[in-house]
Amino acid sequence: MQRALLIDEIIRHIFHFSAEEGLATLNALARCCRTWEDPALDYLWTRLSSIAPLLKLIPGVELANRMYVFQATDPTPDLTRFHFYASRVKHISHQRKVQVHPLILSILRGRLLPFTHPTVMLPSLRSVKLSMYNCDEIHACLSISGALSKLDIDLGFKTRTSNEHIVQYLQDVVKTASDLQHLSVRGSLTGPLMGLVSSMCNIHTLSLRLGPSLTTDALLAISSFSNLSELEIHVGHIAGDDLSAAFAENNTPLFPSLTQLHIRAHTPLLALILDKIPIDALNALHIEAEETVGVPVAWGPVLRNISTRASNSLRDLTIEHHIEIDETELDASSAYTIGPSLGPVKTNTPIPFSDLQTLGSLRHLSKFVLDTTLPPAISDENLTTLIKGWPELQYLDLGSASPVSQAKSLTFRSLCTLAIRTPKLISLVVAPELKGCDPTTIPVDTPSQHTLTRLTFACAPPSDSVKLAQYLHRLFPMLIEVDGLPEHEEGWSEVRNVMRLSPELCHRFHDFLRPT
């Protein structure tokens, strides 16, 4: 055997890729020689999708009537084999509930190694995925470790009579996992659970999708976490006046280390929270504007706060706003009205370009996604104004919804603008009017853009696919993928077929199709 294959660092690097081939490969490698046994077993046991493999290591434990039970006569089985493998587990995802007799938990708790914490059974465990469905006492005890750094809990939103075991589990996490850095919680939290989450002030990454159970006090406590760099929150239920008053009474810095924010709220609350983030701190921002009864959608303050608070730092911006609307009721005006309804008529409008253009000051922006039910009315001239301050732009997505009954919209000429103004653009999603697209309309001095490789059109293809292919060949010679909406797949398939031809063959093909 090559001596290099006896070096632990090298063989572990090789086994890392062998793990992608499945557990059978690692199992075979573990049996090859003693030198390979430990590295192969480490990878074989590093990830578990349930606690069942661990239970099978306990002498006397058997599966009977879909429940693991202890059937040995000796109440103190030898757990050496259990600890030999359990110490290798680093990630566990409780994807299915395993029924376990309570006696097995008592045996484990009574036979733990003396140097471990009373509730720690997997000392190397780093990440856990747990849900309300499978968060009973034994699953919780097999989800505790002093090395735990990532925890994902899904409690659901159904009403529960008791969650004492969940409270106990989080108390153990707070007490034991001092290095916990990433926490994700989905579902309704009771007061004690919310208090425990609010006390985890050393968290670096936090995702809270809690519905109405997230209180103003809890949000205020979270905003003061000194190490919090990434945050996802849904706060559409919180009243802006209540949060504003809480912020006013607070004397500590808010969001002192925040660099990435994903937030769902109504626009007044979005504007309020964005205004409290330190200047030039955010690198990535994803906002989802919600519809709230009695709260009008106002984009101006939100977009102005983005441009003033993050003009020198923001690189990734996604804006979402989705509403339920009957397209048959859209009129030809700039406003879209939903009605009739039991309450007052609600009028929704696209994001005005006068508000959208304030984002032009984000000089380091490399990714911009605009995903709205009602797309903004943007002309070719508007697009030029918007992107002229984004020289670093690499990904641009202006949405897959085509403008409806708008006085102005993008045309195929906007592609020339993008070729000139965005020299680093790699991926583009756009919905221009392609009628009349002709490569002869491209100004002679227009440079070709050599980085764009993926282009998605959220519109119908033109009747002349050859001219569009020539147009794209001229502007974006490195283009690899051209896609369109599924309802126009046949037309875009024809465009792709023509695009596979070289520019010279494409020109000859067009001449061949030209009527004589």
Side-chain angles (χ1 to χ4, degrees):
M1 181 184 295
Q2 291 287 339
R3 290 186 179 182
L5 296 180
L6 300 177
I7 300 174
D8 189 68
E9 292 82 359
I10 293 177
I11 203 63
R12 286 181 183 274
H13 184 72
I14 295 173
F15 287 0
H16 171 76
F17 294 99
S18 300
E20 299 176 359
E21 299 182 9
L23 300 182
T25 301
L26 290 172
N27 188 37
L29 291 170
R31 298 170 185 269
C32 284
C33 65
R34 292 186 179 276
T35 304
W36 288 6
E37 181 182 14
D38 272 343
L41 287 177
D42 284 346
Y43 280 105
L44 190 64
W45 283 86
T46 188
R47 293 183 182 275
L48 296 182
S49 59
S50 79
I51 63 174
L54 293 169
L55 298 175
K56 295 175 182 178
L57 298 172
I58 304 173
V61 170
E62 297 180 7
L63 182 62
N65 297 323
R66 299 183 179 181
M67 176 179 285
Y68 285 91
V69 295
F70 184 72
Q71 296 184 340
T73 55
D74 183 3
T76 58
D78 184 4
L79 297 181
T80 302
R81 187 163 175 258
F82 173 88
H83 292 299
F84 177 75
Y85 292 102
S87 62
R88 304 173 190 271
V89 179
K90 295 181 180 180
H91 312 278
I92 189 164
S93 175
H94 301 283
Q95 297 178 1
R96 59 187 180 91
K97 186 173 183 178
V98 179
Q99 300 288 342
V100 183
H101 193 279
L103 178 60
I104 295 177
L105 179 60
S106 300
I107 291 172
L108 288 173
R109 282 179 164 171
R111 299 281 294 172
L112 288 176
L113 294 176
F115 60 81
T116 61
H117 189 278
T119 59
V120 174
M121 299 181 189
L122 307 179
S124 302
L125 194 63
R126 296 179 184 176
S127 72
V128 171
K129 281 189 176 183
L130 198 61
S131 70
M132 178 63 189
Y133 173 72
N134 53 31
C135 186
D136 55 19
E137 193 172 5
I138 191 166
H139 283 83
C141 286
L142 288 171
S143 302
I144 284 289
S145 167
L148 190 65
S149 64
K150 185 176 182 179
L151 177 59
D152 188 332
I153 304 178
D154 187 350
L155 301 179
F157 292 94
K158 293 184 179 179
T159 304
R160 296 178 292 274
T161 56
S162 174
N163 54 18
E164 293 180 0
H165 58 290
I166 301 175
V167 174
Q168 181 61 53
Y169 171 66
L170 278 184
Q171 287 175 342
D172 288 343
V173 168
V174 171
K175 179 172 55 177
T176 307
S178 58
D179 292 330
L180 185 68
Q181 296 185 1
H182 312 281
L183 176 64
S184 175
V185 184
R186 176 189 175 275
S188 298
L189 296 190
T190 58
L193 286 172
M194 193 70 257
L196 286 168
V197 172
S198 301
S199 68
M200 298 180 178
C201 55
N202 292 322
I203 290 291
H204 289 223
T205 303
L206 182 61
S207 174
L208 298 179
R209 295 157 290 169
L210 310 180
S213 62
L214 178 62
T215 64
T216 301
D217 290 340
L219 179 56
L220 182 63
I222 292 166
S223 67
S224 301
F225 286 3
S226 59
N227 296 322
L228 186 63
S229 60
E230 300 180 26
L231 174 63
E232 178 184 10
I233 49 172
H234 296 178
V235 291
H237 60 284
I238 292 180
D241 291 343
D242 293 344
L243 186 59
S244 180
F247 281 161
E249 296 174 2
N250 181 68
N251 295 321
T252 60
L254 300 176
F255 308 108
S257 301
L258 195 64
T259 60
Q260 299 184 36
L261 174 62
H262 185 158
I263 180 171
R264 179 189 295 176
H266 49 79
T267 51
L269 199 64
L270 288 172
L272 174 62
I273 292 176
L274 290 171
D275 189 50
K276 301 301 179 182
I277 295 175
I279 292 178
D280 291 335
L282 277 183
N283 294 325
L285 175 61
H286 187 144
I287 62 176
E288 299 179 53
E290 284 189 335
E291 294 292 308
T292 302
V293 177
V295 181
V297 176
W299 286 105
V302 176
L303 302 183
R304 283 194 296 273
N305 282 350
I306 293 174
S307 62
T308 56
R309 309 297 292 188
S311 61
N312 294 312
S313 61
L314 198 63
R315 289 172 168 78
D316 186 338
L317 175 60
T318 297
I319 299 175
E320 286 190 54
H321 182 217
H322 298 290
I323 60 176
E324 294 183 5
I325 190 167
D326 186 350
E327 293 188 4
T328 62
E329 297 176 3
L330 297 179
D331 59 25
S333 65
S334 61
Y336 298 82
T337 304
I338 304 175
S341 63
L342 297 177
V345 175
K346 184 191 295 183
T347 300
N348 296 278
T349 59
I351 302 176
F353 182 74
S354 58
D355 293 335
L356 198 61
Q357 68 178 347
T358 61
L359 300 177
S361 64
L362 304 175
R363 56 183 66 108
H364 297 293
L365 197 66
S366 63
K367 181 179 180 179
F368 180 58
V369 177
L370 189 60
D371 186 5
T372 59
T373 303
L374 303 177
I378 301 178
S379 66
D380 294 344
E381 294 76 16
N382 293 153
L383 183 63
T384 302
T385 301
L386 184 64
I387 66 173
K388 66 181 181 181
W390 298 345
E392 303 296 321
L393 194 64
Q394 297 182 21
Y395 301 89
L396 177 61
D397 184 345
L398 294 179
S400 58
S402 299
V404 180
S405 302
Q406 291 184 347
K408 56 182 180 179
S409 60
L410 294 176
T411 71
F412 65 88
R413 294 179 180 84
S414 63
L415 298 175
C416 277
T417 301
L418 290 164
I420 297 170
R421 297 283 186 177
T422 57
K424 298 182 180 181
L425 195 64
I426 297 172
S427 177
L428 172 64
V429 179
V430 68
E433 172 57 61
L434 295 175
K435 184 178 180 180
C437 180
D438 192 319
T440 61
T441 63
I442 301 175
V444 177
D445 59 347
T446 302
S448 296
Q449 203 266 21
H450 291 271
T451 59
L452 189 72
T453 57
R454 181 178 179 84
L455 175 56
T456 299
F457 287 105
C459 58
S463 57
D464 193 334
S465 58
V466 177
K467 283 190 176 181
L468 176 60
Q470 290 177 323
Y471 196 90
L472 296 178
H473 271 308
R474 166 66 176 84
L475 291 177
F476 309 109
M478 304 304 293
L479 199 57
I480 297 174
E481 298 181 52
V482 178
D483 294 315
L485 297 179
E487 55 264 35
H488 302 296
E489 176 58 29
E490 184 177 349
W492 286 113
S493 177
E494 182 180 344
V495 173
R496 285 193 293 272
N497 290 335
V498 178
M499 285 290 296
R500 293 189 181 99
L501 302 174
S502 67
E504 293 78 11
L505 289 176
C506 187
H507 182 74
R508 292 180 185 178
F509 185 58
H510 181 263
D511 289 342
F512 174 77
L513 295 178
R514 184 183 300 167
T516 57

